[in-house]
Amino acid sequence: ELKVEQNPLFLSMQEGKNYTIYCNYSTTSDRLYWYRQDPGKSLESLFVLLSNGAVKQEGRLMASLDTKARLSTLHITAAVHDLSATYFCAVEASGTYKYIFGTGTRLKVLA
Amino acid sequence: GAGVSQSPSNKVTEKGKDVELRCDPISGHTALYWYRQSLGQGLEFLIYFQGNSAPDKSGLPSDRFSAERTGGSVSTLTIQRTQQEDSAVYLCASSLGPGVVYGYTFGSGTRLTVV
């Protein structure tokens, strides 16, 4: 059974700092997604990573995927308050077409 | 439509009552998914539709939960004899097809409160 773990679960950081969120998963998968959720809102797709070594960047966020290590990272560069949200990774359970979500990382960027 | 539409946005019901939650996916999206998000928790998979059939119902928590999809479009999630532990946000998502590369588009959810 595919399990997806994120860490940290909570992250409070100062504006201007860098940090990385980690997403580990337990079985082989070729597709991994990152989503953002603002309080009381639905999920917004950030990145889709489709192959080993894939790297995607959007603004201050950069996501990467290492399928051999079963690890994805979401790196935050020079954080700003607007990045405060909960970030989820989701991994496709191979052959099932369903996505197993991590527990989420609640990020708070302090001014 | 332009996005995934869910209704109602909020529902408060008494314990023991039945509720129906509706999802209207993006036009042309053949895959439809229901997830549940409890307070402060991640997303729990409930059921997946491809067209009108549900090849994966493995996430439905009990036989009080059922879902159907008609015309390859609108889906209804029904919870019978609601319990307080059913309180959660129920999210629907749709996609162009199974395993496509673009991921899901989520609706805004139905917040269900069982009192």
Side-chain angles (χ1 to χ4, degrees):
Chain A
E1 181 186 348
L2 174 60
K3 293 193 185 299
V4 182
E5 293 184 348
Q6 283 181 239
N7 70 84
L9 298 182
F10 299 97
L11 177 56
S12 180
M13 57 191 297
Q14 296 289 329
E15 277 195 329
K17 298 292 187 184
N18 303 334
Y19 210 84
T20 300
I21 298 170
Y22 297 88
C23 174
N24 291 89
Y25 53 98
S26 61
T27 65
T28 301
S29 177
D30 294 328
R31 293 198 176 107
L32 187 141
Y33 300 86
W34 284 96
Y35 289 88
R36 168 181 172 145
Q37 186 179 38
D38 290 290
K41 305 290 186 183
S42 191
L43 280 79
E44 172 193 353
S45 178
L46 293 175
F47 301 110
V48 54
L49 302 168
L50 301 175
S51 60
N52 187 41
V55 177
K56 295 279 184 74
Q57 182 162 6
E58 179 77 28
R60 301 175 187 275
L61 300 178
M62 183 173 71
S64 65
L65 177 62
D66 181 342
T67 58
K68 293 180 181 177
R70 297 176 185 166
L71 170 69
S72 179
T73 60
L74 181 66
H75 187 72
I76 303 156
T77 302
V80 293
H81 180 70
D82 286 351
L83 290 179
S84 298
T86 299
Y87 293 86
F88 291 96
C89 63
V91 180
E92 182 184 30
S94 292
T96 67
Y97 306 125
K98 73 183 179 187
Y99 298 89
I100 305 301
F101 282 77
T103 49
T105 296
R106 190 176 300 176
L107 172 66
K108 185 172 184 179
V109 181
L110 306 172
Chain B
V4 178
S5 177
Q6 290 188 247
S7 61
S9 55
N10 281 285
K11 176 73 176 177
V12 180
T13 190
E14 292 181 353
K15 178 180 172 182
K17 300 283 189 185
D18 298 352
V19 294
E20 283 189 355
L21 312 180
R22 177 188 168 106
C23 173
D24 198 344
I26 292 173
S27 179
H29 280 197
T30 62
L32 186 147
Y33 305 79
W34 284 97
Y35 282 81
R36 177 169 74 174
Q37 186 176 28
S38 301
L39 185 63
Q41 301 296 311
L43 277 72
E44 175 189 5
F45 169 81
L46 297 179
I47 188 169
Y48 153 59
F49 285 94
Q50 178 58 35
N52 290 336
S53 64
D56 192 342
K57 307 179 184 179
S58 62
L60 294 177
S62 74
D63 59 7
R64 296 186 296 105
F65 287 72
S66 63
E68 65 175 13
R69 188 179 185 195
T70 55
S73 182
V74 172
S75 176
T76 303
L77 177 68
T78 301
I79 309 172
Q80 296 178 310
R81 304 181 302 281
T82 52
Q83 304 295 313
Q84 287 185 329
E85 61 262 29
D86 299 335
S87 296
V89 176
Y90 290 81
L91 289 165
C92 174
S94 70
S95 182
L96 281 168
V100 294
V101 303
Y102 300 106
Y104 300 164
T105 300
F106 279 90
S108 54
T110 293
R111 182 176 298 277
L112 174 66
T113 304
V114 181
V115 297

